[in-house]
Amino acid sequence: MKRILIALTALAVAGPALAQEPLTLKIGTEGAYPPFNYYDSDRNLIGFDVDIAKALCEEMGAECSFVAQDWDGIIPGLIAGKYDAIIASMSITPERDEVVDFTNKYYNTPPAIAVPKDSDLSEATPEALSDIIMGAQGSTTHANYAAQYFPDTELRRYGTPEEYKLDLASGRIDAAIDDVVVLSDWLKTEDGACCKILTTLAPDPEINGPGAGIAVREGEAELIEKFNAAITAIREDGTYAEIQAKYFDFDVYGD
């Protein structure tokens, strides 16, 4: 009887402690999409996505670690259980929503086209961009946008943004399409001094979706609720604005 009482007492003490164990999450990101997610000189993952992820984890009381994953395998990695959520500037699209679930958006910026400074291009119409070569990162909304709206443009898909940037700077392609923030950030660098923004583009809701969200495996409604509540909280308490100010001088959340 004494042993039973001791065991019950131990369970009563341990129960609350077990219930208070923090949420542990692995966050998947790309690490090749500055200024949103990339490596610093010491090979630390940094960027807007990373800082937002850390803030959300702190708000949720979660212990989070990061896993870097190439973009073309980032959704398969989530589905396979390599990590629990993707925070990597992933646009919420109907196509992706068929295989993963999304939180609310945490930012929304438009696509844009960059060209060499000496380019003869002056507008982004299907006619003006016909018979040119445009680069885009593969498996992105930007590549899909180019294929849909500029059907006579030769579209080259690259594994990373760095690859199309190199080809644009060296004259192997005539234009590139990506997020306006990504392109604008690159143009401020020595390598990006070659080029300029031709124009920003009106997003297509069916292609670009309502913005970038956090992807989780299907059926994890409780985790989505936690992330959504945390997104609201960091926007209301000023944390979001503080992180945004580190990277941008304008509102990236959108309407």
Side-chain angles (χ1 to χ4, degrees):
M1 183 66 177
K2 184 176 180 180
R3 290 180 180 176
I4 293 174
L5 288 173
I6 292 172
L8 290 173
T9 301
L11 285 172
V13 172
L18 289 172
Q20 295 173 10
E21 285 186 3
L23 178 65
T24 301
L25 296 172
K26 290 183 179 179
I27 307 296
T29 196
E30 184 183 13
Y33 199 57
F36 293 103
N37 57 80
Y38 60 107
Y39 286 98
D40 65 13
S41 58
D42 295 321
R43 295 297 293 171
N44 297 309
L45 279 167
I46 60 172
F48 180 77
D49 287 333
V50 177
D51 285 358
I52 288 293
K54 289 178 179 179
L56 295 175
C57 288
E58 183 176 352
E59 177 65 31
M60 294 188 296
E63 294 181 356
C64 294
S65 57
F66 289 88
V67 178
Q69 171 65 53
D70 290 344
W71 182 255
D72 59 1
I74 203 164
I75 287 180
L78 174 67
I79 295 171
K82 190 174 180 180
Y83 28 82
D84 304 294
I86 297 170
I87 304 182
S89 293
M90 179 170 284
S91 297
I92 303 164
T93 67
E95 181 182 10
R96 291 170 180 156
D97 202 34
E98 292 181 0
V99 292
V100 297
D101 288 340
F102 282 100
T103 65
N104 298 333
K105 71 170 184 178
Y106 64 95
Y107 83 86
N108 187 21
T109 50
I113 292 175
V115 297
K117 286 181 176 178
D118 61 358
S119 174
D120 293 331
L121 294 171
S122 59
E123 58 181 356
T125 62
E127 295 76 21
L129 300 181
S130 64
D131 302 323
I132 72 161
I133 303 172
M134 181 180 292
Q137 185 177 14
S139 301
T140 64
T141 57
H142 305 298
N144 294 343
Y145 190 104
Q148 174 71 29
Y149 282 89
F150 311 116
D152 295 325
T153 300
E154 181 182 336
L155 180 63
R156 290 188 184 172
R157 293 173 170 85
Y158 294 82
T160 69
E162 293 307 313
E163 294 174 77
Y164 78 65
K165 291 173 185 175
L166 180 62
D167 275 7
L168 184 60
S170 63
R172 287 190 286 269
I173 59 176
D174 305 298
I177 183 171
D178 208 328
D179 186 286
V180 65
V181 174
V182 171
L183 292 173
S184 298
D185 190 68
W186 174 59
L187 296 181
K188 297 174 185 176
T189 68
E190 183 177 349
D191 291 338
C194 62
C195 302
K196 64 182 180 181
I197 297 291
L198 174 64
T199 187
T200 56
L201 301 164
D204 181 329
E206 289 299 313
I207 296 175
N208 303 102
I214 300 166
V216 303
R217 286 181 291 275
E218 289 185 315
E220 298 195 3
E222 184 177 350
L223 183 55
I224 286 180
E225 289 176 6
K226 289 179 183 294
F227 272 123
N228 282 338
I231 291 169
T232 299
I234 68 170
R235 282 190 53 75
E236 291 179 347
D237 69 12
T239 302
Y240 186 97
E242 184 178 335
I243 295 171
Q244 176 178 261
K246 286 178 57 178
Y247 299 96
F248 318 114
D249 56 6
F250 58 94
D251 178 21
V252 297
Y253 187 77
D255 297 330

